[in-house]
């Protein structure tokens, strides 16, 4: 039920100019009462015909090994052939693989099922240590809460960082890790595994416009630079300066979406220094120049009528 509830909860919270960003429809091969692993039952009214109307098809998983349903596999394969965006949570990746959508692509799934997915479908490039992978028009996520990261990534890709961050705040979850354009394979920052430097991370976020150094961070944390680097990496999966650069770029993207500030002011406000430095980092992260990114994702120009339909 958690796998199924994640997209419903997050996509329904995405608002653009006061209107819904998505319409979410839950469907199943045989409509009616569906058993769950938690001992409860769901009633799903829509059949797989809903897939034909969807812009995005998301296959929720179960957390357990299962044989992909042939009707679902066929519907997903047809949707992909028609140019739909396809995604999966957890063991839903087995449906995508059975449909032939992961051949030659990078993908991931729940860690307990990763080796089986690799063995059954050797033509895919399994990424077993990431939260989600975005390869072309196909996206896969690992188990359970990683589906949250995937859905926030989709929202960010469609509507930008500001909309995705509002959804994350409303759902009381961490903002999505790096997004980007659909032609790139996306690998997010690892999840933070501890809180001992949460105060220092929060302090740094409030001072991104300043030229922060490792020494500054260590001084605030009241440890040596060496200790900070070692423990920070253990918590966040990256070095302090890598984390800091990521936060600066994310702040820049949000400013590009929500303000009309000139590029040099955006660069200074997020600590990237100059407009040239801003351009270099934004292009590397998103594949777009800052002005092109603003044109595509600015909340000031998004039409209220923009929407997209998601079928699960």
């Amino acid at each position: 039920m958690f796998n199924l509830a994640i997209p419903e909860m997050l996509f329904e919270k995405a608002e653009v100019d006061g209107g819904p960003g998505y319409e979410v429809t839950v469907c199943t091969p045989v409509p009616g009462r569906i058993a769950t692993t938690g001992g409860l039952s769901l009633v799903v009214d829509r059949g797989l015909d809903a897939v034909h109307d969807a812009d995005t098809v998301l296959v929720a998983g179960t957390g357990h090994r299962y044989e992909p349903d042939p009707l679902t596999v066929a519907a997903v394969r047809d949707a992909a052939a028609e140019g739909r965006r396809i995604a999966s949570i957890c063991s839903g990746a087995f449906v995508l693989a059975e449909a032939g959508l992961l051949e030659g692509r990078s993908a991931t799934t729940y860690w307990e099922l990763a080796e089986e997915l690799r063995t059954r479908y050797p033509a895919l490039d399994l990424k077993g240590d990431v939260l989600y992978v975005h390869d072309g028009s196909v996206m896969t996520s690992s188990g359970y809460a990683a589906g949250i990261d995937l859905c926030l990534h989709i929202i960010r890709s469609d509507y930008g960082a500001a909309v995705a961050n509002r959804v994350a705040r409303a759902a009381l979850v961490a903002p999505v890790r790096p997004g980007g354009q659909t032609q790139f394979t996306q690998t997010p920052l690892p999840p933070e595994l501890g809180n001992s430097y949460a105060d220092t991370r929060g302090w740094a976020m409030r001072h991104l416009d300043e030229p922060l150094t490792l020494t500054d961070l260590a001084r605030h944390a009241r440890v040596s630079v060496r200790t900070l680097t070692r423990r920070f990496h253990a918590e966040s999966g990256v070095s302090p300066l890598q984390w800091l650069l990521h936060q600066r770029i994310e702040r820049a993207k949000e400013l590009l979406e929500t303000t009309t500030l000139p590029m040099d002011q955006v660069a200074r406000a997020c600590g990237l220094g100059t407009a040239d430095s801003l351009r270099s980092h934004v292009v590397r992260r998103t594949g777009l120049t800052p002005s092109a990114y603003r044109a595509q994702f600015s909340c000031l120009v998004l039409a209220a009528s923009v929407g997209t339909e998601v079928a699960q």
Side-chain angles (χ1 to χ4, degrees), residues 11 42 44 58 75 80 110 151 155 208 274:
F11 289 131
L42 299 173
V44 181
L58 196 156
Y110 184 41
C151 291
I155 295 169
L208 289 178
T274 67

Side-chain angles (χ1 to χ4, degrees), residues 264-279:
D264 57 342
Q265 292 186 34
V266 172
R268 289 197 297 272
C270 63
L272 290 176
T274 67
D276 286 342
S277 176
L278 171 71
R279 187 182 194 281

Side-chain angles (χ1 to χ4, degrees), residues 17-59:
D17 289 350
Y22 302 91
E23 177 184 347
V24 180
T25 301
V26 179
C27 60
T28 183
V30 181
R33 188 177 297 275
I34 309 295
T36 76
T37 55
L40 301 177
S41 295
L42 299 173
V43 176
V44 181
D45 297 325
R46 288 295 301 273
L48 294 177
D49 61 294
V51 172
H52 300 301
D53 300 323
D55 301 295
T56 300
V57 178
L58 196 156
V59 182

